[in-house]
Amino acid sequence: MGDIRQSLLPRDVLSAAKELLYHLDIYICNLVQSGRQPPQVDTKTLELVEEFILHAPKDRNAPPRRMNALQELQLLEIMCSCFQEQSRDTVRQLMFSALFSLQGNQADESRMALLGKLVSMAIAVGRVPILECAATWLQRTHRVYCVRLARVLVDDYCSLVPGSVSTLYNIQSSSPRFCCQFITAVATLYDLTSEELTPPLELLQMIVSWLQDDPRLVLITFLNTPLSGSQPISSLDLTPLGGLVRWCVKAPLAYRRDKKQSLTNGSSECEPDVGPLFSALHLSVLQVFMLLPNILNEKGLFGRLALLQMEPLAALTSDLSRLLDQADKHTHSSSTDTHALSQLALDRLAQALQVAMANGALLCSREDLRAICSRLPHNNLLQLVMSGPVMYFNNIHTPPLAFSPHASHSPITTHPTHPTHPTHPTHPTHTPLASHPSSHPQYPAQPFLSGMPFPFRPSH
Amino acid sequence: MNIIFIHKNGHINYFVSANMSAQKDCEFLVKRARELVSEDPCAAKAWLITARTLYPADFNIQYEMYIIERNAERTASAGRLLYDMFINFPEQPIVWREISVITAALRSDCQDKHAQFLRGLFETLPGRVQCEMLLKATEQCFNTLEKAEMLLLLLKRFPESVVQHGVNLGETLLEAEASENLETPVNCFRKLFVCDVLPLIINNVDMRLPASLLQKYMLKAAEFYIGYVTRSQEVGSLKSPGVSRGSQRYVIDGLSEKSSVVAEPWERLLDILAVVGARCEWQGDKGQRSYVDMLQRVKELCCYLPGLEGETRSRCCSQVVICAALVLFRSAFLYVSTVQPALFQGVNALSSGPWILLEDLSSVYSDVEVERGAVKHAHKKRKLADGREKTMSSDDEEGLSKGRGRHILVNKTEMPSWSETLDSFRTARESWDLLHSHDGLETEFKKICASWKTDSWLWFRIFLTDMIIYQGQYRKALSSLHQMTAVQQPQPGQQSPSGQASLEHHRALIQQASCHYALGEYRVYTHTHTHTHTHIHSYINTHACMVTSTRVPLVLSILGNDLRLLPCTSKAILPFCLQLMLACFKLRAFTDNRDDLSLGHVVVLLQYDWPQGEMLFLKAVDKICQQGSFQYENFFNYVTNIDMLEEFAYLRTPEGGRIQLELLPNQGMLIKPHLLLPPSPLTHESPLLHPPPQVYVVCLSVYSCRHHTVTRGITKGVKEDFRLAMERQVSRCGENLLSVLHRFCINEKIIIIQSLP
């Protein structure tokens, strides 16, 4: 295919690109026909793509070939119809990778730029085959680039053109796979560490509404990925669950920070309350967890595949702990409000951990939980989740909630750093007995009995 | 901030049993969810989801989840949670309470949003669970009706359960009906059995039922539907006379108003008959098209009956009897619903009043000689037709019953549905005849009648009476009418303001009179009934009631074969009564023996419908002329017809033949006639009793020529008192003829009775 370079050189940029796309199509068709496994596009061809479509300079001497905006639009249109008309998935997929697989070279920048425009256009005009290819791309590519693509799309549809978000909304039905990967990418992108990394309201509303329509949407990639398929290193998570949990847990604190900032800036614009949105999103996430046991069992993965990884969770809890500290320090005026929001964040964390664990999305012991949550302030529910449910002696129905065969109810004393240890000498009992309906003063203070998994219960 | 947490962390080192502790956890979790549910339902649900993963065996957590979804009326999720509870906590009373609420909604016809939600909720459950729920809910029911309704829900949803429970349910309902000793087949148990259970049983292809059982069920259904259609409205009309009868609500005891309604009962009955017929392997095509077709088919079938034996014969018998009986009752109902609509609740009684089947007397004005001849002639003809030597005597009802071709005259504008009504009457008679054409059929039919107690069906007796009147079996008809009058005798104080009950009561009396007349028994009998507070009644009381005391040797069916269906109003009945009396006196007046009293009565009665009776009047004048004298002291009290007065005035003149007329009553009567007369009934305004317009016309024309008339009488030199009486009488020409005739009937009843044979 290298021999066509000479015929391309004299052409103008657009017709050269067109010609190359045409030849690429034929070349890949032959490649697939030949049955060579795996079909591999040769380097020469990739170089031609870089030279005539992405316009990466071949060598320093060559004059840079550039397309004007109109030519670029025309090229995008040609590419759109090229993918649309190709009926064979394999060919289409190979073509997409030949064009957009990152090569770790100079051309990657223009590659990303062109990809962003192509996908954005495909969303606008509903080119499903391109979205499907892009979904695969999002599965195979390093998350840094995935996030970049996501950002382009969010900018295009949520920021640049007001009202165009409804177009993006439709990808849920046109290409659920792409939609799922898109959610994973934005959930990775927006970590709520800064205002810039806080999801725009339109995006949030859209995701909430997607999930309310069908919570299974976020599991599409996971459902379609074969068991053997090893995930490329540093690619996006298999599901957006981890990212969404992070959103929901951090949101009460992150948005309060934003609010405070906007107040200090004197901006009086009235942002709609995102609280209910995150509440709904959080519920959807929990509902997705509830779907997992069946799916995992069907795939024979129950107890073997952790859709929530411990490391990001540990990062989340330490992040949260830091945020809570900050909140504690900076707020004096509205401490009740702050306290409520902090508790909300902790409640959600506890709920996500518990439900994920119970449904096989999180594979760890209660002890592991206590370890990663050790620095967090007290929260009744979190306390309950860390200690685990009391096992009734006469109740045989309660299934095991942790997948670690041991230690789910190990005594708290094995965890000296736990801040809420009831017998900790620095924390004497403060709650007045009278106001504590669950207190039973007639029972002697006694740390443990054998068979008693966890000596204290939350103060209800 | 930490301090707060430490405070929160102020746990007490205490020992509680694990159970207690777990319960505290659950209470805590549910409490948090409850606190949140109004402001942030999503958060509340998140709490409960978490709680459930912690304590999956805790009922309250799941119940709370369910309650949130149920209160938000989210059908799918509430259904899912109910399912979980039903599976995991089958012994929880709260679950059962919930299920009974839902099943109650299923049974009820309530259309409110919540009931619809509950029904939708039930629909989301898997069939197996629905089935189990209904069965269990049924087990928990102690009330037979509720239990049956519940089981019915099950059978309707799961046809396969019909095989197991269908017949049992049916029998339970029939037993309940029997044990409750209900007086009517239109009761809640039967309704459920007939309308709901029976179709399920007979339409289920997997059910194999013996023919005898199917026929038993068929008859149960027929009894119900007939009872429903012919339900009377005794209570309603008395309590609220102002309410239109058609819109009256009908509720079967134990059922709701909506489920008390049975749509198109006759059609439903036909449907059941079709299925039962097919299952019992009846002859003829499977789908019974209509009742009329059905009668035709069983008529044909009947021809083969004598040749059949054993099993086939009894099957054929059953088919004929059941089909013909249903046609009979339906057609009889249709007939009676026109003739006596007020009897039935389902029929709009306002559309028309009651009607009455009477002998046609329209030929009463014809010449008595001609008439006799005609009757004799008819008699001969009949004899010839029968080909037997038989005399027509009153006892010879056999002969009269052959009167198949009798016509029934109806005023077609007054009864728009005359054709259908007469058709129904005919179809009913044909069915009756068919049912009595073989001993086997009659026995079977009588069994049905006995078990349904048709003897007590007033409406059916009305049909039967009309039928035997039609057949000319007047003696039988009279005894039937006697029984009816006894049944219908209005209780004092129960008098309905419209006089309806009384009018219907008199309906039977008038019919008796007609029968007696047809039998040739003319003894007017003014019965002692005291309900004369309205003129309608007084007319009818006075005129209509003829009861036999003696038998007239001259027995003829004087008026031929025709019958007449008249509206039961005084306007229509009074002429009949007058004609009836006229017919009676006419016979006596024109015999060879002199009977001035009867002749006078005839003259009085001929005033009505003048000049219809002109021929007869002239005949009476002829007879007077032949006699040379005439004595009738009531003349000036009741004869106000100017033509007649003129004629009588003329009779005294030399030109008229100087007839000796003794028409004057005693002096007092002439001077103060109204002292001796009862108060005029017409002082009460009644649209029904206004005399026909032609009466006024006659009167007006009479007034205009009065002078001429009177002078003609006086100037011929008649006696002074007669002259005065005539003058006075001419001045009375404007009097209402009906009230004059009414007074005649009231005042002269004793003479009238005595002057009858």
Side-chain angles (χ1 to χ4, degrees):
Chain A
M1 183 141 172
D3 49 342
I4 64 161
R5 182 168 187 265
Q6 292 308 317
S7 69
L8 295 177
L9 275 172
R11 291 172 177 263
D12 68 282
V13 276
L14 186 61
S15 71
K18 248 166 91 173
E19 187 73 10
L20 179 56
L21 277 175
Y22 174 73
H23 284 287
L24 192 62
D25 192 50
I26 295 169
Y27 166 77
I28 288 171
C29 280
N30 290 335
L31 198 64
V32 171
Q33 215 101 49
S34 74
R36 190 151 22 107
Q37 283 303 328
Q40 190 83 48
V41 177
D42 63 20
T43 327
K44 277 261 183 275
T45 311
L46 294 177
E47 280 172 9
L48 285 173
V49 167
E50 286 170 8
E51 184 177 354
F52 291 99
I53 293 175
L54 305 172
H55 309 294
K58 175 83 176 162
D59 51 67
R60 278 171 215 147
N61 308 334
R65 291 162 70 97
R66 286 234 162 270
M67 284 187 176
N68 58 31
L70 186 63
Q71 283 172 324
E72 195 175 47
L73 184 64
Q74 282 174 314
L75 177 63
L76 288 170
E77 269 178 0
I78 292 162
M79 288 171 94
C80 266
S81 46
C82 181
F83 282 104
Q84 193 71 27
E85 283 154 22
Q86 178 52 257
S87 56
R88 297 159 73 187
D89 281 345
T90 340
V91 176
R92 210 188 297 129
Q93 205 55 256
L94 277 168
M95 188 120 147
F96 198 88
S97 356
L99 289 166
F100 299 113
S101 274
L102 296 174
Q103 302 297 322
N105 58 22
Q106 237 186 323
D108 281 359
E109 279 310 306
S110 33
R111 206 186 302 272
M112 283 304 295
L114 189 65
L115 176 65
K117 287 168 185 161
L118 180 68
V119 175
S120 189
M121 185 175 195
I123 291 169
V125 297
R127 296 287 182 236
V128 176
I130 292 177
L131 297 181
E132 289 292 308
C133 292
T136 310
W137 186 92
L138 282 166
Q139 264 181 279
R140 292 180 182 166
T141 310
H142 192 285
R143 59 170 66 192
V144 172
Y145 292 95
C146 297
V147 159
R148 276 183 59 184
L149 176 61
R151 170 145 241 164
V152 169
L153 299 178
V154 172
D155 285 346
D156 280 0
Y157 283 93
C158 301
S159 313
L160 280 180
V161 189
S164 60
V165 74
S166 63
T167 316
L168 187 57
Y169 186 87
N170 294 332
I171 61 171
Q172 173 203 25
S173 49
S174 61
S175 176
R177 272 186 69 220
F178 177 77
C179 186
C180 175
Q181 285 303 104
F182 174 74
I183 298 171
T184 311
V186 293
T188 311
L189 167 64
Y190 297 104
D191 62 0
L192 281 80
T193 51
S194 64
E195 196 181 357
E196 197 193 5
L197 290 176
T198 301
L201 181 66
E202 291 89 346
L203 178 67
L204 180 63
Q205 283 169 332
M206 182 167 64
I207 290 176
V208 167
S209 149
W210 276 340
L211 282 189
Q212 280 176 340
D213 282 0
D214 181 12
R216 293 174 75 91
L217 185 64
V218 298
L219 297 175
I220 296 259
T221 308
F222 166 56
L223 289 168
N224 292 332
T225 307
L227 179 59
S228 56
S230 56
Q231 289 293 106
I233 298 160
S234 298
S235 64
L236 288 172
D237 287 348
L238 206 47
T239 69
L241 289 168
L244 294 178
V245 166
R246 182 170 60 181
W247 279 16
C248 296
V249 171
K250 288 174 82 175
L253 300 163
Y255 278 82
R256 183 199 48 181
R257 183 195 59 220
D258 294 349
K259 203 192 275 176
K260 205 172 63 194
Q261 279 170 359
S262 68
L263 278 175
T264 48
N265 293 347
S267 101
S268 60
E269 64 177 316
C270 207
E271 279 278 309
D273 190 11
V274 292
L277 285 173
F278 278 109
S279 204
L281 183 62
H282 177 63
L283 175 61
S284 294
V285 169
L286 297 189
Q287 283 166 339
V288 173
F289 283 138
M290 308 257 288
L291 298 171
L292 286 173
N294 281 339
I295 296 169
L296 288 166
N297 277 323
E298 264 170 39
K299 292 195 160 211
L301 286 174
F302 198 85
R304 291 168 58 201
L305 177 74
L307 287 176
L308 285 192
Q309 305 281 328
M310 275 309 267
E311 297 78 31
L313 282 177
L316 172 61
T317 52
S318 70
D319 228 14
L320 184 62
S321 156
R322 192 178 39 79
L323 277 171
L324 289 168
D325 275 354
Q326 283 174 8
D328 221 15
K329 278 174 199 143
H330 293 138
T331 349
H332 300 290
S333 50
S334 57
S335 66
T336 23
D337 188 36
T338 310
H339 177 67
L341 290 168
S342 306
Q343 288 296 311
L344 178 59
L346 291 167
D347 282 344
R348 282 189 188 156
L349 175 68
Q351 288 166 357
L353 290 175
Q354 167 60 30
V355 177
M357 210 163 141
N359 289 292
L362 174 62
L363 305 179
C364 71
S365 64
R366 304 265 172 207
E367 194 180 350
D368 297 335
L369 285 188
R370 286 196 285 275
I372 62 166
C373 297
S374 60
R375 295 198 54 246
L376 292 173
H378 174 78
N379 168 279
N380 279 333
L381 184 61
L382 189 59
Q383 196 69 56
L384 182 52
V385 169
M386 284 190 296
S387 55
V390 177
M391 305 300 278
Y392 299 31
F393 295 120
N394 58 352
N395 182 10
I396 52 164
H397 298 298
T398 315
L401 287 163
F403 303 101
S404 167
H406 61 88
S408 63
H409 305 295
S410 44
I412 196 72
T413 41
T414 60
H415 211 294
T417 54
H418 202 284
T420 57
H421 196 295
T423 55
H424 199 287
T426 59
H427 300 307
T429 300
H430 296 291
T431 313
L433 292 181
S435 68
H436 203 287
S438 66
S439 60
H440 292 265
Q442 69 268 36
Y443 294 110
Q446 192 175 358
F448 324 107
L449 278 182
S450 59
M452 278 300 296
F454 197 55
F456 61 88
R457 310 305 309 166
S459 57
H460 301 326
Chain B
M1 203 68 219
N2 272 333
I3 292 168
I4 292 169
F5 293 142
I6 294 162
H7 267 281
K8 280 274 167 189
N9 190 21
H11 292 290
I12 309 97
N13 296 314
Y14 57 82
F15 167 78
V16 270
S17 77
N19 229 336
M20 193 81 136
S21 187
Q23 205 186 326
K24 292 282 167 203
D25 284 353
C26 295
E27 280 169 13
F28 161 70
L29 293 164
V30 169
K31 184 168 151 272
R32 285 291 287 143
R34 271 194 204 147
E35 286 163 3
L36 285 165
V37 75
S38 53
E39 62 176 280
D40 188 351
C42 287
K45 285 198 243 179
W47 270 88
L48 289 170
I49 287 174
T50 313
R52 190 163 69 162
T53 62
L54 282 163
Y55 290 102
D58 186 79
F59 171 71
N60 291 322
I61 293 170
Q62 299 203 25
Y63 182 66
E64 200 65 26
M65 293 175 105
Y66 169 73
I67 288 299
I68 290 177
E69 299 303 306
R70 193 199 64 183
N71 291 348
E73 298 200 339
R74 270 185 291 267
T75 317
S77 40
R80 173 73 215 185
L81 289 163
L82 182 65
Y83 171 80
D84 288 348
M85 287 198 295
F86 182 74
I87 299 295
N88 296 325
F89 307 98
E91 304 307 323
Q92 278 286 345
I94 295 178
V95 175
W96 282 105
R97 207 178 52 207
E98 198 60 29
I99 287 172
S100 69
V101 169
I102 292 167
T103 47
L106 288 172
R107 280 186 285 124
S108 90
D109 40 35
C110 176
Q111 287 304 310
D112 74 26
K113 196 162 150 280
H114 190 63
Q116 280 178 344
F117 160 73
L118 289 175
R119 287 195 281 265
L121 177 63
F122 186 79
E123 295 306 328
T124 66
L125 300 172
R128 185 179 49 80
V129 174
Q130 292 182 337
C131 190
E132 247 176 83
M133 257 187 202
L134 288 172
L135 264 181
K136 282 201 172 183
T138 307
E139 282 165 22
Q140 299 198 337
C141 265
F142 294 106
N143 174 317
T144 311
L145 189 62
E146 269 181 34
K147 197 168 183 149
E149 284 177 334
M150 202 81 88
L151 205 51
L152 196 58
L153 287 177
L154 181 77
L155 301 191
K156 278 183 180 163
R157 274 158 196 280
F158 307 99
E160 64 276 7
S161 63
V162 172
V163 179
Q164 198 193 338
H165 302 286
V167 174
N168 284 342
L169 174 57
E171 290 296 329
T172 310
L173 285 168
L174 293 178
E175 277 164 26
E177 182 188 344
S179 69
E180 299 259 321
N181 254 332
L182 299 166
E183 14 180 84
T184 163
V186 189
N187 57 60
C188 56
F189 302 111
R190 186 75 74 90
K191 155 79 173 43
L192 224 55
F193 173 75
V194 171
C195 298
D196 300 299
V197 181
L198 189 56
L200 290 175
I201 295 177
I202 59 174
N203 288 313
N204 191 302
V205 284
D206 297 324
M207 294 288 282
R208 292 273 174 275
L209 293 180
S212 59
L213 192 65
L214 282 169
Q215 283 172 18
K216 172 187 152 191
Y217 287 170
M218 172 77 238
L219 292 174
K220 289 283 180 192
E223 187 188 12
F224 169 79
Y225 281 121
I226 293 169
Y228 179 82
V229 174
T230 61
R231 65 198 188 273
S232 67
Q233 51 174 0
E234 60 249 12
V235 186
S237 66
L238 289 178
K239 279 186 178 164
S240 51
V243 178
S244 153
R245 280 168 182 167
S247 68
Q248 243 170 44
R249 292 170 173 183
Y250 181 70
V251 177
I252 298 173
D253 202 18
L255 298 180
S256 69
E257 193 181 321
K258 191 184 155 202
S259 50
S260 296
V261 176
V262 178
E264 303 197 319
W266 291 115
E267 297 310 305
R268 295 292 79 74
L269 182 56
L270 198 62
D271 293 344
I272 291 177
L273 187 72
V275 180
V276 169
R279 296 229 150 191
C280 292
E281 293 172 354
W282 282 355
Q283 297 295 310
D285 64 59
K286 307 248 162 164
Q288 310 280 357
R289 284 181 304 263
S290 72
Y291 284 93
V292 179
D293 291 346
M294 200 157 76
L295 179 64
Q296 209 49 48
R297 188 157 39 245
V298 293
K299 258 187 189 171
E300 289 158 15
L301 202 59
C302 244
C303 305
Y304 302 104
L305 200 58
L308 300 175
E309 280 179 350
E311 188 83 359
T312 329
R313 184 187 160 89
S314 68
R315 189 168 61 219
C316 183
C317 245
S318 303
Q319 178 181 356
V320 173
V321 171
I322 291 177
C323 293
L326 297 191
V327 177
L328 166 67
F329 288 119
R330 178 173 174 272
S331 308
F333 162 75
L334 291 177
Y335 170 72
V336 179
S337 67
T338 307
V339 170
Q340 284 272 67
L343 280 179
F344 308 111
Q345 191 181 42
V347 178
N348 187 1
L350 293 184
S351 60
S352 86
W355 292 70
I356 178 165
L357 187 69
L358 298 168
E359 297 295 315
D360 178 36
L361 297 178
S362 56
S363 58
V364 74
Y365 298 113
S366 60
D367 191 333
V368 71
E369 289 302 326
V370 175
E371 203 171 85
R372 275 182 184 156
V375 169
K376 275 175 189 159
H377 188 59
H379 188 173
K380 268 182 198 156
K381 263 195 352 205
R382 202 183 313 237
K383 271 163 82 176
L384 287 173
D386 285 352
R388 283 178 282 173
E389 285 296 316
K390 257 193 171 177
T391 49
M392 300 300 296
S393 73
S394 66
D395 292 319
D396 190 10
E397 289 174 341
E398 188 75 358
L400 277 170
S401 72
K402 300 276 177 196
R404 286 240 163 86
R406 296 185 85 175
H407 288 293
I408 299 171
L409 308 171
V410 197
N411 184 326
K412 292 172 189 180
T413 50
E414 281 178 302
M415 188 194 279
S417 66
W418 64 275
S419 153
E420 291 87 343
T421 305
L422 295 184
D423 277 352
S424 300
F425 189 48
R426 184 177 40 79
T427 311
R429 290 190 326 259
E430 284 174 17
S431 314
W432 176 270
D433 290 345
L434 185 68
L435 286 166
H436 293 79
S437 60
H438 292 80
D439 285 347
L441 301 179
E442 197 172 337
T443 318
E444 285 295 308
F445 177 62
K446 281 191 170 141
K447 272 188 213 161
I448 294 176
C449 291
S451 79
W452 290 355
K453 303 194 183 74
T454 54
D455 285 349
S456 63
W457 295 357
L458 178 62
W459 68 271
F460 191 57
R461 182 175 285 278
I462 288 170
F463 159 75
L464 286 179
T465 307
D466 283 2
M467 179 179 78
I468 50 187
I469 286 173
Y470 179 88
Q471 290 170 342
Q473 304 185 59
Y474 295 107
R475 189 71 56 207
K476 263 194 193 172
L478 277 172
S479 79
S480 179
L481 286 165
H482 279 307
Q483 285 179 39
M484 253 198 293
T485 32
V487 172
Q488 283 187 307
Q489 196 83 28
Q491 302 296 309
Q494 260 201 356
Q495 189 74 30
S496 82
S498 64
Q500 189 74 38
S502 186
L503 198 61
E504 279 161 23
H505 170 64
H506 294 306
R507 186 183 175 280
L509 294 177
I510 296 163
Q511 233 171 9
Q512 283 178 32
S514 173
C515 288
H516 279 299
Y517 175 78
L519 286 170
E521 300 165 347
Y522 325 112
R523 172 109 182 182
V524 174
Y525 157 77
T526 313
H527 74 99
T528 53
H529 207 273
T530 52
H531 289 288
T532 51
H533 64 279
T534 73
H535 24 267
I536 303 171
H537 304 135
S538 52
Y539 273 128
I540 292 162
N541 285 349
T542 321
H543 292 286
C545 307
M546 304 174 82
V547 144
T548 177
S549 54
T550 54
R551 301 281 293 275
V552 179
L554 175 70
V555 178
L556 287 171
S557 174
I558 299 157
L559 298 167
N561 284 328
D562 287 352
L563 291 169
R564 189 174 275 280
L565 205 47
L566 287 175
C568 204
T569 57
S570 62
K571 190 186 158 196
I573 293 304
L574 181 65
F576 174 80
C577 295
L578 294 173
Q579 287 168 359
L580 197 57
M581 291 169 77
L582 179 60
C584 296
F585 289 116
K586 192 173 79 168
L587 283 171
R588 250 184 106 90
F590 296 111
T591 50
D592 295 334
N593 304 326
R594 182 172 168 168
D595 187 346
D596 282 8
L597 195 56
S598 293
L599 199 58
H601 292 335
V602 165
V603 170
V604 170
L605 290 167
L606 280 176
Q607 292 182 100
Y608 187 78
D609 243 1
W610 186 258
Q612 278 256 27
E614 197 172 3
M615 279 301 295
L616 218 52
F617 175 69
L618 290 176
K619 195 174 156 69
V621 170
D622 276 354
K623 189 151 196 277
I624 290 168
C625 290
Q626 276 169 25
Q627 290 174 181
S629 66
F630 177 60
Q631 181 180 9
Y632 186 64
E633 295 189 352
N634 276 324
F635 185 88
F636 286 115
N637 283 333
Y638 304 118
V639 179
T640 58
N641 182 301
I642 192 74
D643 294 338
M644 290 181 176
L645 293 178
E646 192 179 320
E647 195 58 40
F648 275 93
Y650 176 69
L651 285 180
R652 281 181 65 121
T653 61
E655 296 88 339
R658 291 190 194 277
I659 307 297
Q660 281 299 117
L661 292 179
E662 292 174 49
L663 306 179
L664 281 170
N666 63 55
Q667 206 64 14
M669 211 170 212
L670 260 179
I671 294 160
K672 292 179 185 170
H674 23 295
L675 286 182
L676 297 161
L677 295 171
S680 166
L682 293 181
T683 49
H684 308 285
E685 271 306 310
S686 163
L688 276 179
L689 280 174
H690 278 307
Q694 63 265 30
V695 171
Y696 289 119
V697 175
V698 168
C699 294
L700 284 174
S701 65
V702 163
Y703 271 115
S704 60
C705 62
R706 173 174 106 172
H707 183 70
H708 159 76
T709 314
V710 170
T711 46
R712 198 181 89 164
I714 295 165
T715 50
K716 297 299 175 189
V718 293
K719 280 183 182 171
E720 189 61 10
D721 49 356
F722 185 81
R723 190 185 60 86
L724 282 171
M726 267 299 174
E727 264 186 1
R728 180 173 212 103
Q729 204 60 12
V730 166
S731 73
R732 282 181 63 197
C733 280
E735 257 184 54
N736 186 304
L737 181 67
L738 285 177
S739 71
V740 171
L741 292 174
H742 172 251
R743 276 201 301 270
F744 167 71
C745 297
I746 298 281
N747 294 344
E748 308 308 325
K749 61 188 174 188
I750 294 161
I751 300 172
I752 290 169
I753 292 166
Q754 282 170 351
S755 60
L756 275 170

